[in-house]
Structures are given as structure tokens and as C-alpha cells.
Amino acid sequence: LGSIAAIVVGTQLSIGADPTNFPALPLEILRQSSLGGGIIESILGSGILSVPDAARGSQAVAAMTIPLHPVAVAGYISLVVNALSMLPIGTTDGGRVAMALFGRQSKQAIGGLAFLSILFFGVQGSDLFLFYFAFCLAFQKGNEIPCRNEVDTPDFSRVIVATGAYFVALLALIPFQ
């Protein structure tokens, strides 16, 4: 929620200020998140993240940038990083939540599926997922630290919160159309 608030506040600060003083993020980076891109587009105006038909598939898209207030940039980056951390892989936050919800064996199956999914999407052209796959491959090999209580199932309110967190992470990682 803090990341979303930072995107909203930073984007609103971008409206009336001189854009030459702000860092400019490439359009392709801003289009990697439906949630982050949608918030930015709803505040700055419809079509700000659209790619012109003449520029699709060309090098001109790489040169397109949008100046944003540093608070919006920090909010956007933290939204994407936190969403990646919520994927149920290894010992990330999402992996720990999946183990609490589904148990150790089911968490390993779900984590394997998520790991193969980010590899698939990375090979399909997402540099973000390919980088995160390499990161997980290198740094998520450790054994899981046992939970204090792996026997009791979580209560319903925690399941709802975890489901909501996974949903927000999914929205943050689906590319903007």
C-alpha cells in the first residue's frame, strides 16, 4: 500500500512541475506493470503510456520516456520489487506465505510452478522475469527455516489477506496493455 501511495503522490507532484528536473523512465519499463502503469495513466491522462502504431516494434519505443517525480519512481520500483518478492518461490515473502497456507510439500510444488512460469515469461521477452529467474536460481537455494507452528492451519482472515496480497502482486506483474 505504501508503494501505491508513493506512486499516486509522486505522479500528482509531477503534474505541475518542470519535467526537465525529473528522471525520465522509459515507456517500456512503465508498461511492465498493469497496476503501476494504470495508476500513472489515470493521473497523468489517458494515453500517456500508449505506444503509437507507427512506433510498435521499432527502436523508437526504447527512446520514449516519461518524466516522473522521484517519489513516483521510487513507488513504482518498490511496487514491482515487492510484487516479485510475493511470488511463491524459495524463501521469499511469497514463499513463506505459501508455506503457511498450503504446507511444505504443496509449497514446493507451487514454487516449482511459479519458478517455471517466470522462466517461460522471461524467455518470451520479459527482461524483468528473466533477471528474477536468474536471481532466484542463484540466491534461493537455501533450506527453508521451519515455522514455529506448521501444524495448525491459518485462520480465515489471514487466508483472505494472503489472497489479497497475491492478487495485488499479480496485478503489479501483469504487463500494461
Side-chain angles (χ1 to χ4, degrees):
L1 294 177
S3 301
I4 294 172
I7 293 172
V8 169
V9 169
T11 306
Q12 288 174 341
L13 290 172
S14 300
I15 292 174
D18 182 20
T20 59
N21 296 329
F22 295 149
L25 285 181
L27 187 63
E28 286 300 312
I29 290 178
L30 292 173
R31 293 179 55 85
Q32 290 201 4
S33 171
S34 286
L35 182 60
I39 293 170
I40 291 169
E41 182 155 23
S42 69
I43 294 173
L44 291 181
S46 181
I48 192 86
L49 296 181
S50 298
V51 177
D53 291 331
R56 289 188 194 272
S58 68
Q59 291 294 334
V61 176
M64 293 179 176
T65 59
I66 296 180
L68 288 173
H69 193 276
V71 173
V73 173
Y76 184 84
I77 299 296
S78 68
L79 178 74
V80 172
V81 168
N82 286 325
L84 287 171
S85 179
M86 273 306 293
L87 292 177
I89 297 172
T91 57
T92 62
D93 295 339
R96 300 290 289 173
V97 170
M99 189 166 76
L101 290 178
F102 306 116
R104 190 173 294 273
Q105 291 177 349
S106 296
K107 179 255 180 191
Q108 288 177 342
I110 292 169
L113 181 64
F115 196 62
L116 290 175
S117 296
I118 63 169
L119 173 62
F120 174 75
F121 290 122
V123 170
Q124 293 296 320
S126 173
D127 294 338
L128 175 70
F129 286 129
L130 197 58
F131 173 76
Y132 194 65
F133 173 79
F135 172 80
C136 290
L137 192 63
F139 297 109
Q140 292 294 324
K141 292 184 181 227
N143 291 331
E144 187 73 42
I145 298 170
C147 291
R148 186 177 353 174
N149 182 357
E150 291 187 18
V151 178
D152 294 340
T153 58
D155 59 351
F156 187 69
S157 63
R158 292 178 188 239
V159 172
I160 295 295
V161 169
T163 304
Y166 279 133
F167 181 71
V168 169
L170 187 64
L171 278 178
L173 293 175
I174 293 174
F176 187 79
Q177 297 298 325

